[in-house]
Amino acid sequence: MVNQRAAPINTYTIVGDEFQTKEIEACDHSGRLPYIHKVGKPPKQNLLKEITNVVKETFFSDDPLRSFKDKPKSKQLMLCVQAVFPIFDWGRDYSLAKFKGDLISGLTLASLVIPQDIGYAKLANLPPQNGLYSSFVPPLVYAFMGSSRDIAIGPVAVVSLLLGDLLQAEIDPKDAIPYRRLAFTATFFADSLNWHLVFSGAAITISLQQLKGLLGIQKKFTKKTDIVSVMRSVFNSAHHGWNWQTIVIAVTFLAFLLAAKHIGKRNKKYFWVPAVAPMISVVVSTFCVYITRADKDGVQIVNHIEKGINPISANDLFLSGEYVGKAFRIGVVAGIIALTEAIAIGRTFAAMKDYQIDGNKEMVALGTMNIVGSFTSCYVTTGGFARTAVNNMAGCHTVVSNMVMAGVVFLTLQLITPLFKYTPSAILASIIIAAVISLLDFEAAILIWKIDKLDFLACMGAFFGVVFISVEIGLLIAVSLSLAKILLQVTRPRTAVLGKLPMTSVYRNTLQYPEARQIPGVLIIRVDSAIYFTNSNYIKHRILRWLTEEEERVDECHLPKIQHLIVEMSPVTDIDTSGIHALEELYKNLQKREIQLGLANPCTTVMEKLYQSEFADEIGESNIFPSVGDAIHTFQPKTIITEEP
């Protein structure tokens, strides 16, 4: 049965924010659309206003400054302060009950991070006090400027290893003062450009680096981080370089730490067990070494940690000379990992507690704390997953827990650092290994394989690059493969042939929905990407290939000849000059083949550019439609079949 164009029941005026007012006809009683909607011409945009809106959406999308209108000056000032320092926003509702939770979580956190910081500083080839410094000043800065309630700030294993690896390639760690200056300068630049794929490989590399401490090897050990070099050094020292007392201490306490981690993982009520286990290990092992004087039998100890809070290091930065460029390169690489890890962790825990974090504020907060840290003898800090998990499970409500942790670190630096003198290096190695084991995530690798083979290729490239070469090479491989994937997706976007689902007005991909039927004489192609110079030529040729294949099919099946080609443009979010030229060439090609081109559902941005380029006038406004259904109704008004259930 043929559905003829029904008489309109009524007309309505639709006034949109973006399109001009249009009058349309109402549906008939069958619920079908017997009329044709018109795509309105977008109003001309003010260039300055458009640029301002883009800047606001990019940098201040969630900013209270956007709600300034009609507010008194005092309120505007307060909004400005809250935008930069969120603590003045959530701090108004802070209560004693919240402080109790933050106090407990801060104290629990401190018991975990103090021994970790000493060990992580060793990974970076820095004195142990620099690790403690980095858990004092940066967390305080973040507490005032960050938007995450749960993240715990301080040194982390991967960044520490990477920083140490990159720094020692430029300056020998034995040249302590220049080495530290380069570390502080790299930290200063770490906010300039602030990735997950390298972490599993880094976990193995970090663990391998701890073999020197676990086995008590005192002879010269390789500075390289690849598995071949490390294992060669280990076996070369097997005959006379291993210390059995050190091995006993390391294995005993590593077993204790892993058991504590297992207990905390199996039962959430005992979250505090793996949190306090590192401090217990340090205290017990230090006491045992002190009373037995095992250091005289070859057990390596920490020896000396400087007492007192962070000394000023602003004057130590390399701001001129040959090391500026090197520090910038190291800082950028370390900063990429630090920022990515922090934002990923912050968003994970924000989703668990159903609140939002502002990525822009996180970048500013993390950048500022690293700049301030570089002035106060700190190295690159970020949010660590293990300490953030402990912070969350301990019941933190706000970043006041970071303040509490920083307070405990302050007391440690002022009062008890001399007590760490007899702490065995093997304990620090055990703590680091126990901490990084969680980075080995085989389930995540399996999931990546199932979801995206190209992502898995990047993951494996990063893993083997880190394990067999170095962390920075692994990172470079991961970045390169990921960029290659992005470029492939951008330059070769997906397109699909659409068909109509039975008894609906819905058009879907015929490969995904085999029951979808193509309209006789019409080919509907959906483009699933913005059209830019990078892909415009490919999209044009791919549409023409679809057309050629369809023409061959209809000839074989003796179906009606293709007379209309509709490009469904709802996924096309933008188009540039090259994209418009590609559409013009497609239009001219179709004219030669006596096929009419129609565009369906172009967005405001695309419509504006089509009019500005005059392509909309060239193709004809009557051939631009708000939906595929409207295009079909125009092109084939006499072949719309009423489908019975």
Side-chain angles (χ1 to χ4, degrees):
M1 183 173 68
V2 177
N3 182 22
Q4 302 294 337
R5 182 177 176 85
I9 298 174
N10 203 347
T11 61
Y12 297 89
T13 300
I14 296 182
V15 182
D17 293 333
E18 299 174 332
F19 295 102
Q20 296 174 348
T21 301
K22 294 288 176 185
E23 288 194 351
I24 62 172
E25 298 173 352
C27 299
D28 62 9
H29 291 295
S30 68
R32 297 183 180 87
L33 298 175
Y35 56 84
I36 305 302
H37 293 276
K38 286 187 177 181
V39 178
K41 181 178 179 180
K44 290 185 177 180
Q45 298 292 321
N46 180 286
L47 180 60
L48 180 60
K49 183 178 180 181
E50 189 172 355
I51 293 174
T52 302
N53 288 336
V54 169
V55 171
K56 284 183 177 180
E57 286 297 325
T58 302
F59 297 103
F60 306 105
S61 56
D62 300 317
D63 206 309
L65 299 182
R66 292 170 63 85
S67 58
F68 262 20
K69 189 177 180 180
D70 300 328
K71 287 192 170 52
K73 296 293 183 183
S74 58
K75 183 64 174 178
Q76 291 181 14
L77 178 61
M78 179 55 67
L79 289 174
C80 280
V81 173
Q82 291 175 1
V84 180
F85 302 104
I87 190 172
F88 291 106
D89 181 18
W90 57 260
R92 294 177 300 175
D93 301 322
Y94 199 69
S95 63
L96 181 61
K98 290 182 179 180
F99 177 71
K100 290 179 180 178
D102 289 337
L103 178 63
I104 294 172
S105 57
L107 294 174
T108 307
L109 197 56
S111 67
L112 171 68
V113 304
I114 290 172
Q116 278 189 352
D117 289 347
I118 297 172
Y120 291 162
K122 185 180 177 183
L123 279 178
N125 300 313
L126 290 167
Q129 61 267 18
N130 290 105
L132 295 172
Y133 295 159
S134 301
S135 279
F136 173 45
V137 172
L140 293 176
V141 175
Y142 182 87
F144 281 85
M145 302 185 68
S147 61
S148 172
R149 304 173 194 168
D150 300 274
I151 197 167
I153 298 297
V156 295
V158 175
V159 175
S160 300
L161 174 68
L162 176 62
L163 192 64
D165 191 25
L166 294 174
L167 290 172
Q168 71 179 2
E170 305 297 339
I171 298 178
D172 193 324
K174 292 180 181 178
D175 297 332
I177 295 177
Y179 185 88
R180 284 203 298 269
R181 291 183 64 189
L182 186 62
F184 300 151
T185 309
T187 302
F188 176 80
F189 287 122
D191 72 298
S192 302
L193 286 172
N194 282 332
W195 238 105
H196 165 74
L197 296 177
V198 300
F199 286 179
S200 291
I204 294 177
T205 302
I206 292 168
S207 299
L208 289 171
Q209 288 289 303
Q210 303 315 303
L211 290 177
K212 179 182 179 182
L214 285 173
L215 301 175
I217 300 173
Q218 298 186 19
K219 64 176 290 187
K220 186 177 180 181
F221 199 76
T222 180
K223 294 180 181 179
K224 297 180 180 179
T225 59
D226 64 280
I227 187 172
V228 175
S229 299
V230 172
M231 296 310 297
R232 184 183 291 122
S233 279
V234 169
F235 288 118
N236 286 344
S237 61
H239 296 297
H240 51 78
W242 295 10
N243 181 275
W244 71 266
Q245 295 98 326
T246 300
I247 296 174
V248 170
I249 293 172
V251 171
T252 301
F253 285 98
L254 179 59
F256 169 69
L257 291 167
L258 293 177
K261 185 183 283 283
H262 180 70
I263 292 170
K265 190 174 181 179
R266 290 197 62 181
N267 194 327
K268 299 295 183 183
K269 293 190 301 182
Y270 300 119
F271 69 89
W272 53 270
V273 174
V276 301
M279 184 60 76
I280 292 174
S281 300
V282 168
V283 172
V284 174
S285 64
T286 302
F287 178 73
C288 291
V289 170
Y290 175 73
I291 62 172
T292 63
R293 297 312 306 268
D295 56 308
K296 296 185 179 297
D297 295 321
V299 174
Q300 298 180 51
I301 58 176
V302 172
N303 275 322
H304 176 66
I305 299 180
E306 289 186 10
K307 190 176 179 180
I309 60 172
N310 307 41
I312 300 300
S313 57
N315 294 328
D316 295 334
L317 302 182
F318 287 118
L319 299 180
S320 62
E322 61 175 315
Y323 289 116
V324 175
K326 296 175 180 179
F328 179 79
R329 176 179 61 85
I330 295 170
V332 167
V333 174
I336 288 172
I337 296 182
L339 179 69
T340 305
E341 183 174 1
I343 291 183
I345 291 169
R347 285 178 175 165
T348 298
F349 285 91
M352 290 170 56
K353 290 190 174 181
D354 195 25
Y355 69 91
Q356 299 293 324
I357 68 168
D358 188 326
N360 293 316
K361 289 180 181 177
E362 290 299 287
M363 291 178 68
V364 172
L366 293 165
T368 302
M369 78 180 188
N370 276 314
I371 289 176
V372 175
S374 70
F375 296 158
T376 53
S377 301
C378 305
Y379 71 95
V380 181
T381 53
T382 186
F385 183 82
R387 61 181 67 194
T388 301
V390 168
N391 193 33
N392 176 69
M393 288 186 290
C396 77
H397 295 284
T398 67
V399 284
V400 170
S401 60
N402 276 266
M403 296 181 176
V404 174
M405 177 198 71
V408 177
V409 172
F410 168 80
L411 294 175
T412 301
L413 285 166
Q414 290 285 67
L415 302 175
I416 65 174
T417 50
L419 299 181
F420 288 105
K421 177 180 179 180
Y422 290 99
T423 299
S425 298
I427 283 300
L428 303 180
S430 300
I431 290 171
I432 291 172
I433 292 175
V436 301
I437 278 180
S438 59
L439 296 177
L440 288 168
D441 197 341
F442 297 105
E443 292 181 0
I446 294 171
L447 182 62
I448 292 172
W449 167 257
K450 291 179 180 178
I451 294 175
D452 195 318
K453 303 301 187 289
L454 290 177
D455 271 352
F456 182 79
L457 180 63
C459 180
M460 290 297 100
F463 178 84
F464 289 113
V466 169
V467 171
F468 288 100
I469 307 176
S470 64
V471 177
E472 64 269 28
I473 295 299
L475 177 64
L476 180 62
I477 292 172
V479 171
S480 300
L481 291 175
S482 297
L483 286 176
K485 175 191 171 185
I486 293 171
L487 288 174
L488 181 63
Q489 292 173 337
V490 170
T491 58
R492 295 294 183 268
R494 290 186 174 89
T495 57
V497 174
L498 304 187
K500 185 172 180 291
L501 294 178
M503 298 187 301
T504 73
S505 59
V506 177
Y507 292 82
R508 290 292 183 266
N509 187 341
T510 55
L511 292 178
Q512 185 178 1
Y513 297 88
E515 67 274 22
R517 296 290 178 261
Q518 293 180 234
I519 306 299
V522 180
L523 178 62
I524 310 166
I525 305 293
R526 188 184 68 219
V527 178
D528 293 336
S529 167
I531 306 177
Y532 293 126
F533 72 96
T534 54
N535 59 25
S536 57
N537 223 25
Y538 169 79
I539 291 173
K540 179 192 69 175
H541 289 299
R542 187 68 185 97
I543 291 174
L544 291 175
R545 278 213 319 274
W546 279 121
L547 177 60
T548 301
E549 293 169 5
E550 185 63 16
E551 286 178 330
E552 292 173 355
R553 187 185 72 85
V554 299
D555 284 345
E556 290 176 2
C557 300
H558 305 290
L559 296 172
K561 180 185 174 183
I562 301 297
Q563 295 179 316
H564 307 281
L565 189 147
I566 301 169
V567 180
E568 216 282 22
M569 302 185 71
S570 55
V572 181
T573 56
D574 201 357
I575 191 169
D576 66 2
T577 305
S578 298
I580 292 174
H581 287 328
L583 289 180
E584 290 174 342
E585 292 171 7
L586 176 64
Y587 175 63
K588 292 174 182 177
N589 189 296
L590 294 177
Q591 278 187 316
K592 294 176 183 178
R593 299 163 81 158
E594 297 182 345
I595 297 174
Q596 178 62 52
L597 174 65
L599 305 180
N601 198 21
C603 70
T604 307
T605 302
V606 173
M607 276 300 298
E608 182 182 355
K609 294 182 180 181
L610 292 180
Y611 274 104
Q612 289 174 345
S613 66
E614 299 183 354
F615 179 68
D617 297 327
E618 182 180 356
I619 190 178
E621 188 176 336
S622 60
N623 289 314
I624 303 177
F625 308 93
S627 71
V628 173
D630 285 320
I632 295 296
H633 185 78
T634 298
F635 289 153
Q636 290 198 319
K638 296 182 180 181
T639 58
I640 304 298
I641 306 300
T642 300
E643 301 171 48
E644 299 296 338

